[in-house]
Amino acid sequence: PPARKMTAVGMTTDYDRLKDVKEFDEARIGVKGLSDSGITTIPRIFIHPPENLPASKSPSSYDGIPVIDLSDINDAVQGRQQIVRQVKEAAKEWGFFQLINHGVPLTAINDTISAFKSFHAEPLESRAKHYVRGELSGVTYTSNNDLYRSKAASWHDYVQVWRAPETSAVDEIPAAFREEVVAWDGHVTEVAERVAEMLAEGLGLHGGRLKELGYLESRLWVGFCYPYCPQPDLTVGLSHHTDPGVLTVLVQNEVGGLQVKHGEEWVDVKPIKGALTVNVGDFLQIVSNGEYNSVQHRVLANANKEPRISIVEFFNFGIGDGSKLYGPIPELLSPEKPALYRTFTKQEFDQNFYSKGLDSKSLVEKLRIEG
């Protein structure tokens, strides 16, 4: 018989990836289950092509992403104006920044991270009862939301809980972190609304404009667990991508791995105890008419025995009536500053995201008006 073609990592092109994906998914053990089993080689579905893997580590020119202190946010004159300038600059130049003195108690941060971590420390049989795949509503606990759409799986498990516009049933949330999800949603929503005010002011709009437009109506709580990976040089924790929505607010434990692309460099987001990390999504880049920028970020596969825990809340625009058009905010447009992006519907937004694996700025590129 003819020899089968080989890929760069020695794989045959007739490999039935879907079969292996289904077997892994239906086993309901997740990546944490694989890691806990003591495997020394990762399954083939997690091996990424060389071009998708981080290059050998070279020192970055940057110590990290911008860190913004909100201590003086209530100083109506100089303090707030200076912070607004810092937020505007970070959102434009980096698309990412860390917040300190943001008002969320350290106890709430520690409790949320600890509770989510404790769920993943439960026996496999206990966790498997909650394992279910779904994206658009309710509570989901699974591995890789794009497992069946991506070309290679990433080394993480996650739980997602919808908080708005339709709130997931509380009794569907695993008991280990049920109370913490509800409490965290309250804390982080306050922070997101405060940041949205500063971002609006940075655009020359009144502070409540983004909320008034419905751009914070949708809230999705997601907890990521990145267990120890025995072959971190062959896979990633999370593929490089940009977030599709408006704003993302993240808190992580002290196991690093998150990286942000700045220019041609990948910069480590160093864990700062008690800090929150905020980033701009594709939607905000579009409605700000390019004043703010969504940027690529990724998570390295975890080479530490300690799991990396990341709690993320995604803020996005609401459901609308389906026919509503979204695009650059009219007040930002003028003959000197015409729209850089065409308008779009919620359906087009959802179809772009859910039709494929994670990617970078595909919606932004589709909507860009050629000059």
Side-chain angles (χ1 to χ4, degrees), residues 270-291:
K270 297 175 181 176
I272 299 174
K273 194 168 184 63
L276 298 176
T277 300
V278 178
N279 68 279
V280 171
D282 295 342
F283 184 92
L284 183 55
Q285 175 172 333
I286 293 165
V287 299
S288 72
N289 205 37
E291 285 297 312

Side-chain angles (χ1 to χ4, degrees), residues 155-173:
W155 200 255
H156 74 267
D157 295 332
Y158 81 106
V159 178
Q160 72 171 34
V161 181
W162 283 96
R163 299 299 302 158
E166 293 185 19
T167 306
S168 304
V170 174
D171 59 2
E172 290 182 13
I173 305 171

Side-chain angles (χ1 to χ4, degrees), residues 27 75 93 98 120 154 172 183 194 250 256 281 296 303 362:
D75 177 349
E93 300 299 328
Q98 286 185 294
H120 290 278
S154 299
E172 290 182 13
R194 187 175 299 167
L250 169 154
Q296 289 188 55
S362 58

Side-chain angles (χ1 to χ4, degrees), residues 88 91-92 199-200 202-203 205 210 213 215 246 280-294 326-333 337-341 344 364:
K88 177 182 180 179
K92 184 177 182 66
L199 288 166
L203 293 171
L205 308 172
L210 297 183
L213 287 166
Y215 293 167
V246 180
V280 171
D282 295 342
F283 184 92
L284 183 55
Q285 175 172 333
I286 293 165
V287 299
S288 72
N289 205 37
E291 285 297 312
Y292 298 140
N293 283 296
S294 62
Y326 298 90
I329 298 171
E331 301 97 296
L332 303 180
L333 304 180
K337 289 189 175 181
L340 300 178
Y341 309 97
F344 62 99
V364 172

